[in-house]
Amino acid sequence: MHSFWQIFKKEMVRVLTDRRLVLMVFIVPGLSIYILYSLMGMMIANQLEGVQEHRIVLYEANMPDAFRSRLLARDEANDRQRLNLDIRALEDIDEDTMTAQLLSGDIDVVMIFDPLFMDAINDADNHAIPEVFIHYNYGRQQSSFGYNQVTQVLMAFREDILIDRLESPEQYLVFMTQTAPVVDERQLTGQGIAVLMPMLIIIFLFAGAMSIGPDAIAGEKERGTIATLLVTPIKRSEIAIGKVTSLAALALISALSSFIGILLSLPRLMQLEEGNTNLGIYGVSEYGAILLVLASTVLFITGLVAVVSAYAKTVKEASMLIMPFYFITLLVGLVSSFGQDPIQMPIVHIIPLYGPVNLLSGIFIFEWSMINLLIVIVSSLLYTALFIWALARMFNSEKVMFQR
Amino acid sequence: MDTLRVENIRKTFNLSRKQRKIEATDEKRKIAVDAVSFEAVPGEIFGLLGPNGAGKTTALRCIATLIRPDEGDVFVGPDSVLKTPNLVRKNIAFLTNELKLEDHFTPNYLFSYFSRLHKVPEATMLKRREALFSRFGIDKFQEVKVADLSTGMKQKISIAISLVHDPHYIIFDEPTNGLDVLTAKTVTDYLIELKEAGKVVILSTHILSVVEKLCDRVAIIIDGRLTALDTLQNVRSLAEDHDLETVFFDMVRESEALRHA
Ligand SMILES: Nc1ncnc2c1ncn2[C@@H]1O[C@H](COP(=O)(O)OP(=O)(O)OP(=O)(O)O)[C@@H](O)[C@H]1O
Ligand SMILES: [Mg+2]
């Protein structure tokens, strides 16, 4: 068993001393994810801010002073209540121009009150119910936002008029409500993490394995360096073990790079999400379990990638043949992040890829069992052993190694 | 018992459609080596002489356990290439242009890497490396990546690396290909030394002068079959003028005539 270690070391040296590979495998994934997610976070934040900062252009006709003063009060507020308003008289703008300007964004909201609006309210018995026409453009965020805000003020205005008309406010209120929410902060945070993390983990691991596997095996076949290895007395199984373990270690480092990218960009990305994403909520047992799942899953993945790469004649062919498996992995990740609660049934955990992802989701929300962890580890290791056995046979087969 | 015995080996390749086009044949299978037997003994250089495509490399690949003969067997000492290929690999040096070195590494790194795979003790490795590298002039570029070296330099490194474990059986396929005359002589001189040290040396070539200068015994292989197997002296005497070239040409011509008949 000493030769497998030689292969392992050689593979590590091969990648770690090649500046181009180090860049490709370890730096680029993390960096690109960091940049992408930070940009995304910044853009979403900017957009939200833009909507809130925007000065709502409101055109009115016959707006009663009582209502106007309510709007102006919101305009002068200092806190989050503040509404940035620019109220103008509609006057001689005709209907077509108004619609055109709503569509172009020059006008956000138009409110047209009945000419005798306040008279009708003050003397309801002798007037028909007065109307307010509101025009807005729901294809523009600023317009929708302005519409929502002014209607809120309008509803409050109506409520107050109603309460005035009734003899006592209780008649209007009908009943009172009180809410007393409880929350387990850990669970709340965990739910958020469980949506994204298991999917990212599995995808990063696969992407890591995919970026080095084809070159390390199909590449050696293509370049003829595997033949040099095959005339030495090293056991084919040791070549297989050396290849799979070294690829697994490298894939793990590569995935780690992606995670660092995620963690660094998380604050930017998550400012909009509720609850904080503090990974400190997990204890030693969760992290231990996650690590064990990662280690066994990355072995499975690299085993798979290695077998496919050994079958392929060229690096290009290997990369192509791996694609379907990558899509399956993406699918498994998506299903887990948009599915319901993780399944606790033990048998589910023997399913390759799905089992580990399902277990990870459970771990992130503190709902997992030792037995399922054990099943994931043992089954992944069994599959890996199967892959290594197949790989050893392939190294022994002149058809697979030398057929042109 | 420390001879190398090739017993009636036969190797057939399936031809892909592309290969059939290249070979201009409708046959789905190509018999590359057909009923070949010979024995190479310690203290001699055994030459396998044949034109391009005769089956030399294929025969040597069978001996070196890279591919398995369909029929027959090869015994390297007591070990069969079919039954115990890993024991065979412990005792052979194999050189052929199909075996490439990884571009990214230096000769120094590769020498110790392959030494470790052969479980050569560190001290022995250092001594051997020093001797082989200075012998073949590799020491000048021992820390340069293989990628940056010339074809001849790579060939020299391949030779040195095939010998990391000081094996008893040396199987070299066209060892002087791509080498200049000076370097070629270094290699052939070294082969003679190995022979004198009592090793079994088999080399293949299509160059008559190499056979004349080096080989004690020679087998001529044409179209996968042995057409002669004897001492160099006796093979030469098959032609009236005792010229190896005449023997070789006659045999090639004869087989061509047979093929077109
Ligand atoms: N993998 C293969 N698949 C199909 N045919 C093959 C394969 N390897 C060799 N052959 C065929 O077997 C025959 C013998 O080839 P081989 O390489 O042994 O010849 P050789 O004597 O070494 O020739 P050269 O002097 O050109 O190196 C050739 O016709 C070749 O095309
Ligand atoms: Mg050849």
Side-chain angles (χ1 to χ4, degrees), chain A residues 16 20 40 77 95 130 144 149 170 196-197 205 258 269 277 293 298 330 332 351 354 356 358 368 378:
Chain A
L16 296 178
R20 193 185 59 90
M40 243 163 69
E95 180 115 11
S144 296
Q149 297 299 315
E170 289 77 21
L196 211 61
M197 274 303 175
L205 287 181
S258 304
L269 189 65
T277 17
V293 177
V298 79
L330 288 179
V332 168
I351 305 174
Y354 184 76
N358 183 65
W368 59 285
V378 171

Side-chain angles (χ1 to χ4, degrees), chain A residues 2-3 6-7 10 13-14 17-18 220 223-225 227-233 236 398 402, chain B residues 11 61 66-68 86 89-90 94 98-102 104-105 109 113-114 116-119:
Chain A
H2 127 121
S3 298
Q6 301 304 329
I7 303 275
K10 189 221 73 177
V13 171
R14 165 78 190 89
T17 60
D18 187 326
E220 286 223 34
R223 295 187 292 269
T225 52
T228 316
L229 187 61
L230 291 176
V231 289
T232 68
R236 313 292 107 147
E398 64 178 80
F402 301 117
Chain B
K11 182 69 190 177
R61 288 172 85 209
L66 272 186
I67 56 178
R68 294 163 66 88
N86 248 4
R89 291 173 189 133
K90 280 192 172 121
F94 185 42
E98 174 195 17
L99 307 185
K100 296 284 170 24
L101 299 172
E102 278 189 73
H104 179 73
F105 295 111
Y109 183 93
Y113 172 58
F114 283 101
R116 291 194 187 115
L117 291 182
H118 277 285
K119 304 193 161 69

Side-chain angles (χ1 to χ4, degrees), chain B residues 51-58 96-97 173-174 204 206:
Chain B
N52 292 136
K56 304 180 294 291
T57 303
T58 305
T96 178
N97 69 2
D173 187 21
E174 323 244 18
S204 84
H206 55 262

Side-chain angles (χ1 to χ4, degrees), chain B residues 170-240:
Chain B
I170 320 288
I171 302 148
F172 278 7
D173 187 21
E174 323 244 18
T176 55
N177 254 20
L179 299 181
D180 62 49
V181 269
L182 276 172
T183 323
K185 186 160 164 28
T186 323
V187 173
T188 49
D189 285 352
Y190 194 72
L191 285 175
I192 292 171
E193 262 175 54
L194 288 172
K195 155 191 151 173
E196 278 162 2
K199 312 243 179 212
V200 178
V201 181
I202 298 183
L203 69 88
S204 84
T205 182
H206 55 262
I207 306 166
L208 294 166
S209 62
V210 172
V211 176
E212 306 234 40
K213 259 191 231 129
L214 281 181
C215 298
D216 303 289
R217 286 193 311 135
V218 56
I220 297 180
I221 181 169
I222 296 172
D223 264 343
R225 279 175 220 260
L226 290 197
T227 55
L229 168 59
D230 213 328
T231 59
L232 182 60
Q233 208 62 42
N234 290 348
V235 171
R236 266 202 197 123
S237 62
L238 290 174
E240 276 168 19

